[in-house]
Amino acid sequence: MSKQHDASDDGGIPAAVAPAKRPPLNKYALACAVLASMNSIVLGYDVSVMSGAQLFMKRDLKIGDTKIEILAGIINIFSLVGSLAAGRTSDWIGRRYTMVLAAATFFAGALIMGLAPGYGILMLGRFVAGVGVGYALMIAPVYTAEVAPTSARGLLTSFPEVFINTGLLLGYVSNYAFHGLPVHLGWRVMFLVGAVPPFFLALGVLAMPESPRWLVMQGRIGDARRAEERLADIKKAIGIPDGVGDNDDDEVVVVDRRNKQGSHGEGVWRDLLIRPTPPVRRILIACLGLQFFQQASGIDSVVLYSPRVFEKAGLTSDENSLGATMAVGASKTLFILVATFFLDRVGRRPLLLTSAGGMVVSLVTLASALHAIDRLPEGHATPLAGVSIAAVLTFVASFSIGMGPIAWVYSSEIFPLRLRAQGCALGTAMNRIMSGAITMSFISLYKAITLAGSFYLYAGIAAAGWIFMFFFLPETRGRSLEDTEKLFGGGDHGEDKEDGHDGQKKSTELSSSQP
């Protein structure tokens, strides 16, 4: 006979128990998750295509490493505009139309970059594309988490990362496919190809339903009736009493009693940053810490600058270095499937800890090989070149089985519903800040402390991330979205049981959690 207990019983990290029998995968939720996540293909493409395009832009536009470094990494800083706006935007206009907005900005950004006559217009194109990156990174996991059943939430919420990696691979393939074109034309075609998918993706997203949890948050109970299985829990999380909204055409006005707040995201920043409850504070630290370590361990430096790493290892021709870079994309994409299919079976914590451990070992191996290459005469480091390439492939594979997808899965499922969109926006902002800092400093960093020194530094950060995850992140497998707050010491919020009736229009008040 098994016993279940929570953190209050043993003082440890609470364990979540998966359902004894896995229900069949909901094909409707699967289709929604796939469509929502496909914006991420363009996101991945826009990031990785720069790794090969920069080789030809440097020759065509006669720009130095400093400008290349800024151009490559600035998209992550620009994405802060989209990620910070996405939370409020998605609370206001809905998850679905926010995804359409992301696709539109991707389309415009790709056109501007591909047709840019010089560095200044290229920077404008990176800004527009960066806004799209911010929107897509935040909204796809949130929407997917809100439509996914608990038993398959890990699988479906990892889809955005699967499609990001697919886009990364396509970017590398584009680099290789068009590297033989004239220098002034090749990099432009690489960018312009990225304008094609967003148009069709926007049309596909318009055919999707809105998130039922967002509909309930707006008080549109009748529209959310398709979520019948979880409807009672969702209403409880919002503060709508039992019995209210039981008719299909019912509409409920959700109002915050203490501050007269509606359901479009007003007052959320106060509850997240100024006067958070202890559980919310811990949730926020978990989200921000996980997003920090995901990027600070150097993954985007490898994605963007792997041709330079392979050149250092001895692959001097464009064809060889871009071919090896395609192998990086293939490895990263292949191993993301491990996380996709094991998230709901093994759990979040085991995959995260295995991932971070593998990243540490791979980074130490890569740094040691590059350090040894520096000490050998030119042309005598062929075996070590193979070790370097293998270490890069192992590093991206380790990232893909845990840190890559689970940072987004975990962040999207731990926040209370009213705080979820803007809480995830803060996590996305942290992710983009760190990605921008890493990619915009990598060339300068390795010129100052060598490539080997840079990867030793990233290994130390990844090791610190392992410690953080071991001690701070509880398991969320098998928990409903409305139940995960309890893992961080939260519980049911006070609810106002009063409601009034005016025909089929009803109103209720939502009590904010007390600080």
Side-chain angles (χ1 to χ4, degrees):
M1 182 175 178
S2 62
K3 295 174 68 177
Q4 293 181 351
H5 55 277
D6 58 22
S8 61
D9 295 327
D10 56 16
I13 294 175
V17 179
K21 183 178 180 181
R22 292 174 57 83
L25 182 62
N26 186 308
K27 294 180 180 179
Y28 180 75
L30 175 64
C32 291
V34 169
L35 278 172
S37 303
M38 287 184 72
N39 255 333
S40 302
I41 290 180
V42 190
L43 186 162
Y45 184 90
D46 276 355
V47 171
S48 67
V49 76
M50 188 67 187
S51 96
Q54 62 178 289
L55 302 176
F56 310 105
M57 292 163 58
K58 186 176 180 181
R59 301 169 196 167
D60 181 31
L61 302 178
K62 306 296 188 296
I63 52 180
D65 279 343
T66 300
K67 286 188 173 182
I68 286 291
E69 185 178 52
I70 293 172
L71 191 64
I74 198 69
I75 191 171
N76 298 299
I77 303 301
F78 288 152
S79 70
L80 288 174
V81 177
S83 62
L84 290 175
R88 185 64 180 271
T89 303
S90 67
D91 279 346
W92 185 258
I93 67 172
R95 312 321 194 202
R96 187 175 57 150
Y97 287 115
T98 303
M99 286 185 275
V100 173
L101 183 59
T105 55
F106 278 135
F107 177 80
L111 286 181
I112 294 170
M113 288 186 289
L115 300 175
Y119 188 80
I121 303 301
L122 261 174
M123 188 65 73
L124 174 63
R126 294 299 271 179
F127 170 77
V128 175
V131 173
V133 167
Y135 272 105
L137 274 174
M138 176 267 165
I139 194 58
V142 168
Y143 176 86
T144 306
E146 291 182 350
V147 300
T150 298
S151 62
R153 191 175 64 241
L155 166 69
L156 299 182
T157 311
S158 68
F159 276 14
E161 187 70 16
V162 173
F163 284 105
I164 287 174
N165 282 277
T166 303
L168 288 172
L169 178 58
L170 291 175
Y172 292 142
V173 170
S174 176
N175 290 156
Y176 189 82
F178 299 121
H179 82 276
L181 293 175
V183 171
H184 72 283
L185 185 61
W187 65 268
R188 297 179 185 279
V189 174
M190 294 174 191
F191 283 124
L192 286 172
V193 167
V196 177
F199 175 78
F200 295 100
L201 289 174
L203 296 179
V205 168
L206 287 174
M208 290 163 41
E210 185 52 85
S211 160
R213 283 175 167 88
W214 180 81
L215 291 170
V216 173
M217 193 165 67
Q218 307 309 305
R220 293 161 58 182
I221 306 301
D223 291 339
R225 183 60 58 184
R226 64 174 61 92
E228 183 72 43
E229 180 183 355
R230 301 298 307 167
L231 185 58
D233 287 340
I234 299 169
K235 285 166 61 180
K236 184 177 180 181
I238 293 298
I240 299 174
D242 292 339
V244 174
D246 285 345
N247 298 321
D248 283 355
D249 53 354
D250 279 352
E251 184 174 333
V252 175
V253 178
V254 181
V255 181
D256 186 304
R257 179 185 60 205
R258 189 174 64 185
N259 295 295
K260 301 302 180 185
Q261 295 166 359
S263 50
H264 298 296
E266 302 92 330
V268 170
W269 293 121
R270 182 207 62 205
D271 292 343
L272 277 172
L273 300 175
I274 300 174
R275 289 191 293 174
T277 61
V280 168
R281 185 181 299 112
R282 190 180 176 201
I283 288 170
L284 186 61
I285 292 172
C287 172
L288 295 181
L290 187 53
Q291 296 288 2
F292 171 87
F293 285 113
Q294 190 213 51
Q295 287 298 325
S297 52
I299 183 64
D300 277 0
S301 290
V302 173
V303 168
L304 270 175
Y305 299 112
S306 51
R308 292 179 184 243
V309 176
F310 293 140
E311 182 180 357
K312 179 67 175 179
L315 302 180
T316 54
S317 73
D318 287 343
E319 185 173 2
N320 288 339
S321 64
L322 292 176
T325 301
M326 273 205 305
V328 171
S331 177
K332 200 168 183 296
T333 303
L334 177 64
F335 279 88
I336 194 71
L337 299 178
V338 174
T340 297
F341 291 108
F342 283 95
L343 260 170
D344 294 311
R345 293 172 171 83
V346 176
R348 282 58 159 162
R349 275 175 57 83
L351 288 175
L352 278 171
L353 296 173
T354 301
S355 172
M359 290 165 65
V360 172
V361 172
S362 301
L363 286 167
V364 170
T365 302
L366 175 60
S368 300
L370 292 173
H371 179 67
I373 289 172
D374 279 338
R375 300 168 65 90
L376 291 173
E378 188 173 351
H380 289 72
T382 303
L384 290 174
V387 172
S388 299
I389 295 171
V392 170
L393 296 179
T394 305
F395 171 67
V396 298
S398 298
F399 178 86
S400 287
I401 67 172
M403 288 285 280
I406 297 178
W408 302 108
V409 172
Y410 201 88
S411 297
S412 67
E413 64 188 3
I414 58 177
F415 284 100
L417 177 56
R418 198 176 75 86
L419 308 180
R420 184 173 300 136
Q422 295 185 50
C424 288
L426 284 176
T428 303
M430 171 62 78
N431 185 281
R432 294 299 86 195
I433 288 172
M434 291 312 305
S435 179
I438 293 295
T439 54
M440 292 176 67
S441 64
F442 181 70
I443 295 177
S444 301
L445 181 67
Y446 82 65
K447 287 183 176 179
I449 64 173
T450 74
L451 275 173
S454 301
F455 289 118
Y456 278 129
L457 175 62
Y458 293 150
I461 295 172
W466 191 96
I467 295 171
F468 171 82
M469 290 181 287
F470 183 82
F471 287 105
F472 207 79
L473 301 186
E475 180 59 71
T476 59
R477 180 185 59 150
R479 297 271 187 166
S480 71
L481 290 180
E482 287 68 44
D483 200 35
T484 52
E485 187 181 359
K486 296 177 183 177
L487 298 174
F488 295 86
D492 293 338
H493 300 303
E495 297 171 337
D496 191 330
K497 298 297 182 183
E498 297 180 3
D499 62 284
H501 294 265
D502 181 12
Q504 290 180 321
K505 183 93 171 177
K506 305 183 179 87
S507 66
T508 184
E509 294 183 337
L510 168 63
S511 297
S512 295
S513 52
Q514 300 296 323

